[in-house]
Amino acid sequence: MASHDVVELLTQQHVRIRSLFEEVANTKGEERAQHFHDLVRLLAVHETAEEEVVHPFARKNIDGGELVVKDRIEEEEKAKRVLSQLDDMDPDSPQFLDRFTSLREDVLAHADNEERYEFAHLREVADKGKLENLGRAVKAAEAVAPTRPHPGADTAVKNVAVAPVATFVDRTRDAIRKVTGT
Ligand SMILES: [Fe+2]
Ligand SMILES: [Fe+2]
């Protein structure tokens, strides 16, 4: 049976995030736009699930949780702002690549910080059952998060306006709150 352990799930998502960053950096044109689009959705779902499910638990339960979580949330807020800016840019412009490269460094450092200062300590304060309950909530978040039509996808969705990143994140949060009952 697939694991529901929240630390495993989020660490696996970090691996997917890392490889999507690579795909965006190593492609061009339409292909890059598609990978970037996938990255926006995954980051929105991942960071929002952390904010709604994992950070509140860590804040209360790990040593120095208040400070650890405060720093992580600041990193996440910054990443979302940059993601919004990138979303409005031409993915083939040098400006996009510059900003994208610094976002990539920041987000990967953020993920390392989470693994080291937050996730490792979750294992110390939460038993297997609790880690699995948190993991189930993260899975539910991924399942209910809205999709964003691909840019330039087939004609059926061509006329659907793509929601700005901030709106998309809001909708993701609303969907997650519904399933987690918060
Ligand atoms: Fe995060
Ligand atoms: Fe994360």
Side-chain angles (χ1 to χ4, degrees):
M1 235 176 79
S3 167
H4 287 286
D5 178 307
V6 71
V7 174
E8 269 176 48
L9 283 176
L10 293 175
T11 309
Q12 282 162 11
Q13 288 185 348
H14 285 172
V15 173
R16 273 163 62 204
I17 288 167
R18 186 182 293 271
S19 69
L20 273 173
F21 268 108
E22 226 160 274
E23 304 275 15
V24 174
N26 295 336
T27 50
K28 280 192 185 131
E30 183 62 21
E31 221 186 322
R32 172 180 285 173
Q34 301 276 342
H35 289 309
F36 180 69
H37 173 275
D38 292 342
L39 179 66
V40 170
R41 180 174 192 268
L42 179 56
L43 277 178
V45 173
H46 175 81
E47 302 300 352
T48 309
E50 286 175 344
E51 281 166 23
E52 295 295 318
V53 176
V54 183
H55 296 334
F57 180 82
R59 185 188 282 128
K60 263 194 238 144
N61 294 287
I62 68 173
D63 249 1
E66 195 74 42
L67 204 62
V68 169
V69 166
K70 180 177 165 278
D71 290 349
R72 299 298 79 75
I73 287 177
E74 275 169 20
E75 292 162 357
E76 286 165 2
E77 292 301 322
K78 184 181 172 210
K80 278 187 233 165
R81 279 197 302 277
V82 178
L83 214 52
S84 290
Q85 293 165 355
L86 284 168
D87 200 41
D88 291 333
M89 293 168 79
D90 169 5
D92 281 324
S93 66
Q95 294 87 336
F96 177 94
L97 204 56
D98 271 3
R99 204 162 291 188
F100 176 80
T101 304
S102 81
L103 176 74
R104 179 183 182 176
E105 281 167 15
D106 288 350
V107 168
L108 297 185
H110 165 70
D112 283 346
N113 288 339
E114 280 176 339
E115 290 177 18
R116 189 171 315 170
Y117 301 118
E118 186 175 0
F119 299 174
H121 300 290
L122 284 180
R123 288 216 183 284
E124 293 161 9
V125 297
D127 61 15
K128 193 166 174 284
K130 183 66 199 174
L131 291 174
E132 290 192 351
N133 279 342
L134 292 170
R136 262 186 276 275
V138 168
K139 279 214 160 163
E142 199 174 9
V144 296
T147 51
R148 254 181 135 213
H150 267 276
D154 65 54
T155 44
V157 293
K158 226 174 204 159
N159 296 323
V160 178
V162 176
V165 171
T167 311
F168 182 65
V169 168
D170 287 347
R171 283 186 199 154
T172 303
R173 195 183 48 232
D174 292 346
I176 291 175
R177 284 187 180 171
K178 254 181 215 154
V179 295
T180 57
T182 50

